[in-house]
Amino acid sequence: MIRNWLRNFMLGRYGPDYLGTVMFILSIALGVTGGILRFRPLTLLAYVVLIMTLYRMLSRNINRRRAENDRFISIFWPLKRRCKLFIERLKNRKIYKFFKCPACGNILRVPKHKGRVKITCPKCGERFERRT
Ligand SMILES: [Zn+2]
């Protein structure tokens, strides 16, 4: 009964997507942080983000919402990848040294304290020497 009502209500509306999920998590994070710090503007911002999330889900302008989601993904995913890479480098900084391939820019991981080594980029085959 409620499921049917919900299905009818959501008919022709955009619904949840990747951007919506990230916005929802962000609004909760803002709300919790605002609550802990007792900082009202943050709590208010959490509500604004939550309302925007709901607005997008219930929107009938599906093409526009889809375009927003695509644009968000094209910016957010490379950023997320860079963050992951950075954290990995930080975690392994005692065991590995990281070099950028001079030809293609690929990041290569090499064990530390091996002296001068010849490195071959697995992506483009470029060979170069570095001190580890
Ligand atoms: Zn390369």
Side-chain angles (χ1 to χ4, degrees), residues 94-97 99 109-115 117 131-132:
K94 282 188 179 134
I95 326 163
Y96 296 109
K97 214 157 174 180
F99 298 109
R109 197 176 70 173
V110 182
K112 258 185 163 175
H113 312 302
K114 299 276 183 212
V117 290
R131 176 173 289 283
T132 63

Side-chain angles (χ1 to χ4, degrees), residues 4-35:
N4 264 334
W5 175 84
L6 193 68
R7 193 183 304 147
N8 281 334
F9 179 72
M10 288 306 290
L11 209 72
R13 295 178 195 267
Y14 183 62
D17 63 359
Y18 189 78
L19 173 57
T21 310
V22 172
M23 281 169 73
F24 184 65
I25 293 167
L26 179 71
S27 78
I28 290 172
L30 285 170
V32 169
T33 313

Side-chain angles (χ1 to χ4, degrees), residues 14 16-27 49 52-53 56 63-81:
Y14 183 62
D17 63 359
Y18 189 78
L19 173 57
T21 310
V22 172
M23 281 169 73
F24 184 65
I25 293 167
L26 179 71
S27 78
V49 174
M52 276 165 67
T53 309
R56 287 191 71 254
N63 287 331
R64 193 156 173 189
R65 298 289 89 82
R66 201 167 281 157
E68 282 169 6
N69 191 47
D70 289 348
R71 205 166 46 214
F72 174 72
I73 286 172
S74 72
I75 297 165
F76 186 70
W77 279 4
L79 217 74
K80 203 171 139 187
R81 220 182 71 89

Side-chain angles (χ1 to χ4, degrees), residues 101 103-106 121 123-126:
C101 168
C104 72
N106 190 26
C121 173
K123 200 172 162 191
C124 71
E126 171 82 5

